[in-house]
Amino acid sequence: MRQLLLLILLFFAGQWLVKALRRAGDAADAPRNGPFDAAGRPGPNSGNAGAAGGAQAQSRQLAEPMVRCATCGVHTPQSESVVVAGQRFCCTEHAERYAARPTGRTAR
Ligand SMILES: [Zn+2]
């Protein structure tokens, strides 16, 4: 039983060694080529670049504000929304429905 445990331990040790060797080889082949250093941690410059990229992607996503339909509550991009009487709608159908309903009920 002890030999089996030893074998398993050796197996893991060997795997770790192979991984370490491969990592060292990668570092030697392509030094400081990627955003990660030899240890697999983000490099000193990758943090800033990543943050800037993320902010850029986020600003691109939020470039078009979403507006809420006054009839069904669905959020639609502003360019696709329909504005009637100061209210925004996801489609003309909802705008017409909103305009057609009795004014007394709009206030609830
Ligand atoms: Zn709607």
Side-chain angles (χ1 to χ4, degrees):
M1 190 62 191
R2 231 184 215 174
Q3 281 184 334
L4 194 73
L5 280 173
L6 206 72
L7 266 171
I8 290 167
L9 210 72
L10 269 170
F11 175 74
F12 278 115
Q15 277 206 329
W16 177 82
L17 205 73
V18 167
K19 224 184 267 182
L21 280 173
R22 200 175 290 168
R23 213 179 276 168
D26 282 351
D29 283 347
R32 297 174 187 279
N33 210 5
F36 296 97
D37 64 17
R41 288 180 305 234
N45 293 326
S46 72
N48 274 338
Q56 228 171 24
Q58 205 170 33
S59 70
R60 207 179 301 145
Q61 251 185 353
L62 297 173
E64 191 165 28
M66 301 292 276
V67 295
R68 192 171 173 276
C69 173
T71 300
C72 67
V74 157
H75 285 81
T76 350
Q78 201 163 35
S79 66
E80 291 174 33
S81 69
V82 182
V83 182
V84 176
Q87 296 287 337
R88 295 173 190 280
F89 307 92
C90 63
C91 54
T92 50
E93 194 190 327
H94 283 176
E96 282 165 15
R97 199 184 295 178
Y98 184 87
R101 70 183 182 180
T103 47
R105 285 180 64 198
T106 50
R108 285 201 184 189

